[in-house]
Amino acid sequence: MKVKRFNDAKTYEAANHRGYTSFALINKAEGIKNFTVGLSHFLPGGGAGPDAGPVEKTYTILAGELTVIINGEETILEPMDSCYIPAGETREIINRGNEVVTMLVAVEMPK
C-alpha cells in the first residue's frame, strides 16, 4: 500500500481548462501504471473543452453542480453523481452555478 497525503498533492495544468485548480492525488509518481486520480475545483464560469481526449475518464461530483455537454446534450451532475466519458468522445464541462464545483477525476493513462 502507498499513502499520499493531500498536503503532498501538487497542482497541475490541463489543456483547454479555465477557472480551475487541479491536484494530482495518485498518479505515476506513486507507481500507478494504468490510471491517475485528481481533484479539481471549478470556479463559477470555469470549465473545460470542448475537446476529445485519447483516453477514457470518469468524473464524480463532490460539491456543486457541473454541466456536461456531449453531442449538444446537456446533463447536470450534482453531488455524488458520476459520469463516464469514453476515449475520443467530445465533451465540454461548465460550472454555471455560483458555488465552486469539486470533482474527483479518474483518467486512464495513455498506452
Tab-separated table of all heavy atoms in Angstrom, residues 34-36 52-59 83-89 105-111:
chain	number	residue	atom	x	y	z
A	34	ASN	N	-1.846	2.364	-14.771
A	34	ASN	CA	-2.995	2.343	-15.665
A	34	ASN	C	-3.923	3.545	-15.564
A	34	ASN	O	-4.753	3.750	-16.440
A	34	ASN	CB	-3.806	1.063	-15.438
A	34	ASN	CG	-2.984	-0.169	-15.741
A	34	ASN	OD1	-2.314	-0.232	-16.758
A	34	ASN	ND2	-3.014	-1.130	-14.838
A	35	PHE	N	-3.828	4.324	-14.493
A	35	PHE	CA	-4.739	5.457	-14.337
A	35	PHE	C	-4.118	6.487	-13.404
A	35	PHE	O	-3.130	6.230	-12.736
A	35	PHE	CB	-6.108	5.003	-13.807
A	35	PHE	CG	-6.053	4.403	-12.420
A	35	PHE	CD1	-6.294	5.192	-11.313
A	35	PHE	CD2	-5.759	3.066	-12.230
A	35	PHE	CE1	-6.229	4.657	-10.032
A	35	PHE	CE2	-5.704	2.515	-10.958
A	35	PHE	CZ	-5.938	3.308	-9.855
A	36	THR	N	-4.743	7.654	-13.375
A	36	THR	CA	-4.363	8.710	-12.446
A	36	THR	C	-5.648	9.269	-11.828
A	36	THR	O	-6.708	9.225	-12.453
A	36	THR	CB	-3.541	9.811	-13.157
A	36	THR	OG1	-3.118	10.773	-12.200
A	36	THR	CG2	-4.343	10.508	-14.223
A	52	ALA	N	-11.860	16.369	-27.233
A	52	ALA	CA	-11.928	14.921	-27.062
A	52	ALA	C	-10.529	14.430	-26.733
A	52	ALA	O	-9.572	14.788	-27.412
A	52	ALA	CB	-12.440	14.247	-28.327
A	53	GLY	N	-10.417	13.647	-25.689
A	53	GLY	CA	-9.117	13.107	-25.318
A	53	GLY	C	-8.944	11.689	-25.821
A	53	GLY	O	-9.921	11.005	-26.135
A	54	PRO	N	-7.699	11.224	-25.867
A	54	PRO	CA	-7.422	9.878	-26.355
A	54	PRO	C	-7.622	8.787	-25.310
A	54	PRO	O	-7.390	7.612	-25.595
A	54	PRO	CB	-5.946	9.974	-26.761
A	54	PRO	CG	-5.379	10.970	-25.806
A	54	PRO	CD	-6.485	11.976	-25.581
A	55	VAL	N	-8.040	9.161	-24.094
A	55	VAL	CA	-8.209	8.173	-23.013
A	55	VAL	C	-9.585	8.310	-22.379
A	55	VAL	O	-10.231	9.356	-22.456
A	55	VAL	CB	-7.117	8.348	-21.931
A	55	VAL	CG1	-5.736	8.071	-22.504
A	55	VAL	CG2	-7.161	9.735	-21.309
A	56	GLU	N	-10.035	7.241	-21.713
A	56	GLU	CA	-11.324	7.296	-21.020
A	56	GLU	C	-11.144	7.948	-19.653
A	56	GLU	O	-10.043	7.973	-19.104
A	56	GLU	CB	-11.936	5.905	-20.899
A	56	GLU	CG	-11.100	4.887	-20.183
A	56	GLU	CD	-11.701	3.486	-20.248
A	56	GLU	OE1	-12.777	3.291	-20.831
A	56	GLU	OE2	-11.074	2.582	-19.687
A	57	LYS	N	-12.248	8.502	-19.130
A	57	LYS	CA	-12.196	9.189	-17.842
A	57	LYS	C	-13.536	9.102	-17.143
A	57	LYS	O	-14.566	8.867	-17.775
A	57	LYS	CB	-11.773	10.643	-18.010
A	57	LYS	CG	-12.709	11.457	-18.893
A	57	LYS	CD	-12.148	12.820	-19.236
A	57	LYS	CE	-11.252	12.654	-20.398
A	57	LYS	NZ	-10.896	13.801	-21.168
A	58	THR	N	-13.505	9.296	-15.833
A	58	THR	CA	-14.730	9.405	-15.046
A	58	THR	C	-14.662	10.680	-14.212
A	58	THR	O	-13.581	11.116	-13.820
A	58	THR	CB	-14.940	8.204	-14.097
A	58	THR	OG1	-13.904	8.183	-13.116
A	58	THR	CG2	-14.983	6.893	-14.859
A	59	TYR	N	-15.830	11.258	-13.998
A	59	TYR	CA	-15.966	12.408	-13.114
A	59	TYR	C	-16.943	12.021	-12.013
A	59	TYR	O	-17.999	11.452	-12.291
A	59	TYR	CB	-16.572	13.615	-13.839
A	59	TYR	CG	-15.812	14.128	-15.034
A	59	TYR	CD1	-16.501	14.704	-16.092
A	59	TYR	CD2	-14.427	14.096	-15.106
A	59	TYR	CE1	-15.834	15.219	-17.190
A	59	TYR	CE2	-13.755	14.602	-16.199
A	59	TYR	CZ	-14.460	15.159	-17.235
A	59	TYR	OH	-13.806	15.672	-18.331
A	83	CYS	N	-20.067	10.302	-14.016
A	83	CYS	CA	-20.246	10.007	-15.433
A	83	CYS	C	-18.966	9.404	-15.981
A	83	CYS	O	-17.875	9.607	-15.431
A	83	CYS	CB	-20.663	11.238	-16.225
A	83	CYS	SG	-19.372	12.472	-16.463
A	84	TYR	N	-19.118	8.661	-17.051
A	84	TYR	CA	-18.004	8.026	-17.750
A	84	TYR	C	-17.932	8.623	-19.144
A	84	TYR	O	-18.960	8.744	-19.824
A	84	TYR	CB	-18.235	6.517	-17.828
A	84	TYR	CG	-17.393	5.819	-18.855
A	84	TYR	CD1	-16.029	5.630	-18.660
A	84	TYR	CD2	-17.956	5.354	-20.039
A	84	TYR	CE1	-15.254	4.992	-19.611
A	84	TYR	CE2	-17.189	4.712	-20.992
A	84	TYR	CZ	-15.829	4.538	-20.775
A	84	TYR	OH	-15.066	3.914	-21.720
A	85	ILE	N	-16.743	9.003	-19.577
A	85	ILE	CA	-16.550	9.565	-20.904
A	85	ILE	C	-15.540	8.682	-21.640
A	85	ILE	O	-14.368	8.597	-21.234
A	85	ILE	CB	-16.065	11.026	-20.825
A	85	ILE	CG1	-17.120	11.857	-20.091
A	85	ILE	CG2	-15.787	11.577	-22.215
A	85	ILE	CD1	-16.739	13.261	-19.789
A	86	PRO	N	-15.993	7.997	-22.695
A	86	PRO	CA	-15.078	7.122	-23.439
A	86	PRO	C	-14.001	7.919	-24.177
A	86	PRO	O	-14.176	9.107	-24.464
A	86	PRO	CB	-15.988	6.415	-24.454
A	86	PRO	CG	-17.378	6.713	-24.052
A	86	PRO	CD	-17.354	7.951	-23.220
A	87	ALA	N	-12.922	7.251	-24.496
A	87	ALA	CA	-11.857	7.865	-25.295
A	87	ALA	C	-12.442	8.340	-26.621
A	87	ALA	O	-13.277	7.668	-27.229
A	87	ALA	CB	-10.747	6.845	-25.549
A	88	GLY	N	-12.042	9.530	-27.044
A	88	GLY	CA	-12.472	10.061	-28.330
A	88	GLY	C	-13.804	10.781	-28.331
A	88	GLY	O	-14.173	11.393	-29.327
A	89	GLU	N	-14.550	10.742	-27.223
A	89	GLU	CA	-15.845	11.423	-27.179
A	89	GLU	C	-15.634	12.900	-26.829
A	89	GLU	O	-14.990	13.220	-25.830
A	89	GLU	CB	-16.764	10.774	-26.149
A	89	GLU	CG	-18.158	11.375	-26.127
A	89	GLU	CD	-19.107	10.544	-25.299
A	89	GLU	OE1	-19.053	10.659	-24.053
A	89	GLU	OE2	-19.884	9.770	-25.879
A	105	VAL	N	-11.579	13.098	-10.353
A	105	VAL	CA	-11.377	12.687	-11.745
A	105	VAL	C	-10.465	11.465	-11.769
A	105	VAL	O	-9.405	11.468	-11.134
A	105	VAL	CB	-10.708	13.823	-12.544
A	105	VAL	CG1	-10.503	13.416	-13.991
A	105	VAL	CG2	-11.511	15.110	-12.454
A	106	ALA	N	-10.876	10.427	-12.473
A	106	ALA	CA	-10.018	9.271	-12.728
A	106	ALA	C	-9.819	9.184	-14.236
A	106	ALA	O	-10.785	9.186	-14.989
A	106	ALA	CB	-10.653	7.996	-12.188
A	107	VAL	N	-8.552	9.132	-14.653
A	107	VAL	CA	-8.219	9.162	-16.073
A	107	VAL	C	-7.281	8.005	-16.395
A	107	VAL	O	-6.287	7.783	-15.687
A	107	VAL	CB	-7.546	10.493	-16.470
A	107	VAL	CG1	-7.179	10.523	-17.934
A	107	VAL	CG2	-8.431	11.680	-16.105
A	108	GLU	N	-7.606	7.307	-17.464
A	108	GLU	CA	-6.751	6.234	-17.953
A	108	GLU	C	-5.414	6.827	-18.409
A	108	GLU	O	-5.374	7.903	-19.013
A	108	GLU	CB	-7.457	5.555	-19.128
A	108	GLU	CG	-6.656	4.520	-19.851
A	108	GLU	CD	-7.348	4.050	-21.115
A	108	GLU	OE1	-8.161	4.800	-21.709
A	108	GLU	OE2	-7.059	2.918	-21.510
A	109	MET	N	-4.333	6.146	-18.150
A	109	MET	CA	-3.030	6.586	-18.629
A	109	MET	C	-2.920	6.222	-20.113
A	109	MET	O	-3.358	5.145	-20.517
A	109	MET	CB	-1.900	5.902	-17.846
A	109	MET	CG	-1.882	6.273	-16.381
A	109	MET	SD	-1.576	8.009	-16.067
A	109	MET	CE	0.132	8.096	-16.490
A	110	PRO	N	-2.349	7.111	-20.915
A	110	PRO	CA	-2.185	6.790	-22.345
A	110	PRO	C	-1.344	5.530	-22.516
A	110	PRO	O	-0.408	5.281	-21.762
A	110	PRO	CB	-1.457	8.004	-22.911
A	110	PRO	CG	-1.673	9.095	-21.925
A	110	PRO	CD	-1.843	8.430	-20.598
A	111	LYS	N	-1.690	4.743	-23.501
A	111	LYS	CA	-0.961	3.491	-23.786
A	111	LYS	C	0.312	3.779	-24.523
A	111	LYS	O	0.474	4.669	-25.249
A	111	LYS	CB	-1.828	2.528	-24.587
A	111	LYS	CG	-3.154	2.198	-23.900
A	111	LYS	CD	-2.950	1.247	-22.773
A	111	LYS	CE	-4.285	0.810	-22.217
A	111	LYS	NZ	-4.464	0.854	-20.865
